[in-house]
Amino acid sequence: MSRRGIDFLNDWIAEHHPDTLTEDPTAIADLADQLMAAAEKQGLSRRDISEEVGSVFQVILEAMQNRSGGRLYSSRWG
């Protein structure tokens, strides 16, 4: 995935995460679906994102568990 794709993921998650961090699988799955739909609208394919990060669900879960400086962070994109 391009840097544009990684930036998109980080920005989208930071803007759309719940106010309260959650590990609720249903809430995370909903966020993953919303993220993928928004990515497609920005010209980023689901396939490209999935190839780069694997499970978007897992990325969101990791990001919620690892806040850094007010932004969400996943070790998958540094």
Side-chain angles (χ1 to χ4, degrees):
M1 181 185 334
S2 68
R3 185 75 221 169
R4 178 177 168 250
I6 293 169
D7 289 344
F8 173 82
L9 284 175
N10 192 35
D11 291 345
W12 192 94
I13 292 171
E15 291 176 20
H16 294 88
H17 74 281
D19 290 334
T20 303
L21 297 181
T22 182
E23 292 186 18
D24 174 34
T26 303
I28 294 171
D30 288 342
L31 285 171
D33 289 343
Q34 292 172 31
L35 184 151
M36 294 301 269
E40 286 182 333
K41 287 181 182 179
Q42 295 295 316
L44 299 166
S45 76
R46 288 177 182 254
R47 180 178 176 199
D48 288 343
I49 290 172
S50 294
E51 285 178 357
E52 181 65 26
V53 299
S55 168
V56 173
F57 177 95
Q58 189 65 34
V59 168
I60 292 172
L61 177 61
E62 288 176 14
M64 289 184 160
Q65 293 172 338
N66 298 294
R67 282 181 177 241
S68 175
R71 290 180 64 118
L72 297 171
Y73 171 79
S74 173
S75 61
R76 294 175 187 246
W77 64 71

